[in-house]
């Protein structure tokens, strides 16, 4: 089925609901919300990964309380990855994605956002920030406005940190982003292990390194150029806004970008170009909604990709060709996840197969 037909179906379905489950395997051939900064039975069930959901819930509650940052497990070294079967970790993360009681039915979008925000603090001039160290789990960085709501993703993954004590949080968080992109129908993303973890919060990055959704093209470039990206890579990365939604109790913004927020598609670009976007009338921060239905939204920083000539040429390219978007997104996302990481020379590069 062509992407244009899939988009028409998704939009027609999405005008009334907005609870879209993870895309079925048949449609996978088709959030990060980069700028969102502001029943039990007698028989105990298990997930595909063999994790008791009750235990998962208890661990998640403990995680939210913060105990898992100091759980007594030895801090993984940069060589601890040698003891881990990452194919098994991939499968276990994939088993955690679907949950009909969470958001639009999947943790995938928030896993992508966690991976992005753990990595997108890198500053190439100072060599600070990035996913190495996983400082996003410490205060004050975990409490930065751009990271609101990411405690949910960290808690969801915490049982796997207990199951695989030799994995670093940096590797776990970035791999979760890769799993989410692939399992929600996106491209294969190369990934390698070897990140280490900081033991304390001393090296947390300062607030303000992640994009501000209220700003325009100049701000977007300032943020991404600081990390070493060019305009084409920036435009490709923003396509991950096809996933997920904004929440007023986290970023202040509200709503999904399109009707299929748990499918990785080129819909961000097609919606941005083909819909007419008008200011939303509400008491929240300035954002835009589609004029016809007011079901979907765009952030001020999103609109910059339509109005800025250099960004727009890539938006038009990706709107017309989803394969071209996938081809450019995958290496840009890998680059993002690896910023500032000094990998062991023999660290393998993985290209994981999606689950059947």
């Amino acid at each position: 089925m062509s992407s244009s037909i899939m988009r028409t179906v998704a939009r027609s379905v999405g005008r009334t609901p907005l609870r879209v489950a993870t895309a079925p395997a048949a449609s996978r051939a088709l959030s990060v919300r980069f700028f969102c900064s502001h029943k039990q039975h007698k028989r105990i069930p298990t997930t595909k990964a063999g994790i008791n959901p009750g235990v998962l819930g208890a661990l998640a509650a403990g995680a939210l309380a913060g105990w898992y940052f100091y759980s007594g497990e030895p801090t993984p070294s940069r060589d601890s990855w040698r003891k881990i079967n990452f194919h098994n970790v991939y499968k276990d993360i994939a088993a955690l994605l679907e949950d009909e009681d969470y958001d639009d039915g999947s943790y995938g979008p928030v896993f992508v956002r966690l991976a992005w925000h753990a990595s997108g603090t890198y500053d190439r001039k100072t060599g600070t920030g990035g996913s190495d160290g996983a400082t996003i789990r410490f205060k004050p960085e975990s409490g930065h406005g751009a990271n609101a709501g990411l405690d949910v993703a960290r808690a969801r993954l915490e049982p796997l940190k207990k199951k695989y004590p030799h994995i670093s949080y940096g590797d776990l968080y970035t791999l979760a982003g890769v799993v989410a992109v692939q399992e929600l129908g996106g491209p294969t993303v190369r990934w390698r292990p070897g990140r280490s973890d900081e033991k304390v919060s001393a090296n947390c990055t300062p607030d303000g390194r992640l994009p501000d959704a209220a700003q325009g093209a100049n701000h977007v470039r300032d943020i991404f150029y600081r990390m070493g990206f060019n305009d084409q890579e920036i435009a490709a990365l923003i396509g991950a806004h096809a996933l997920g939604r904004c929440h007023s109790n986290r970023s202040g913004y509200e709503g999904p970008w399109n009707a299929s927020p748990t499918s990785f598609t080129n819909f961000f670009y097609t919606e941005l170009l083909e819909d007419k976007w008008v200011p939303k009338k509400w008491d929240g921060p300035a954002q835009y909604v589609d004029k016809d239905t007011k079901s979907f939204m765009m952030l001020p920083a999103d609109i910059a990709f339509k109005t800025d000539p250099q960004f727009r040429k890539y938006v038009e390219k990706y709107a017309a060709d989803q394969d071209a978007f996938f081809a450019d997104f995958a290496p840009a996302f890998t680059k993002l996840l690896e910023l500032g990481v000094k990998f062991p020379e023999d660290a393998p590069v993985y290209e994981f197969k999606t689950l059947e």
Side-chain angles (χ1 to χ4, degrees), residues 161-213:
K161 173 62 176 172
K162 303 299 292 184
K163 182 174 181 179
Y164 301 98
H166 294 291
I167 194 171
S168 67
Y169 280 108
D171 281 348
L172 179 60
Y173 295 166
T174 54
L175 180 54
V178 170
V179 173
V181 167
Q182 295 193 176
E183 294 300 318
L184 297 185
T188 298
V189 178
R190 291 184 175 185
W191 179 89
R192 54 179 167 166
R195 296 162 185 81
S196 60
D197 286 338
E198 292 284 354
K199 297 180 180 180
V200 294
S201 62
N203 290 324
C204 281
T205 56
D207 201 359
R209 287 197 177 182
L210 294 169
D212 181 349

Side-chain angles (χ1 to χ4, degrees), residues 190-339:
R190 291 184 175 185
W191 179 89
R192 54 179 167 166
R195 296 162 185 81
S196 60
D197 286 338
E198 292 284 354
K199 297 180 180 180
V200 294
S201 62
N203 290 324
C204 281
T205 56
D207 201 359
R209 287 197 177 182
L210 294 169
D212 181 349
Q215 303 299 316
N218 288 339
H219 168 79
V220 171
R221 286 192 172 92
D222 287 344
I223 293 294
F224 282 88
Y225 285 2
R226 186 203 69 223
M227 291 184 271
F229 289 106
N230 59 37
D231 283 0
Q232 176 264 312
E233 293 168 320
I234 299 169
L237 286 171
I238 189 62
H241 275 183
L243 294 178
R245 62 173 61 235
C246 286
H247 304 76
S248 59
N249 63 344
R250 297 179 186 177
S251 65
Y253 301 99
E254 183 64 38
W257 283 268
N258 64 78
S260 55
T262 59
S263 294
F264 196 96
T265 65
N266 67 339
F267 286 5
F268 170 79
Y269 306 107
T270 55
E271 297 289 346
L272 182 62
L273 292 180
E274 296 178 16
D275 275 338
K276 181 175 178 58
W277 298 97
V278 297
K280 181 175 182 176
K281 296 179 181 180
W282 71 322
D283 293 331
Q287 68 177 83
Y288 296 82
V289 292
D290 66 297
K291 183 179 180 180
D292 290 343
T293 71
K294 299 178 175 58
S295 299
F296 312 121
M297 69 94 207
M298 288 284 168
L299 303 167
D302 294 325
I303 297 297
F305 285 82
K306 184 175 184 178
T307 57
D308 182 271
Q310 292 303 311
F311 283 148
R312 184 182 175 108
K313 68 181 182 181
Y314 296 112
V315 171
E316 292 176 348
K317 173 184 176 181
Y318 299 146
D321 189 343
Q322 181 168 271
D323 289 340
F325 163 48
F326 281 13
D328 287 349
F329 176 86
F333 195 55
T334 295
K335 177 178 176 177
L336 173 68
L337 301 184
E338 295 190 348
L339 292 173

Side-chain angles (χ1 to χ4, degrees), residues 68-84:
Y68 59 86
F69 298 147
Y70 307 100
S71 60
E73 297 287 352
T75 302
S77 69
R78 203 173 294 275
D79 292 326
S80 295
W81 58 268
R82 302 176 193 280
K83 303 176 182 179
I84 302 168

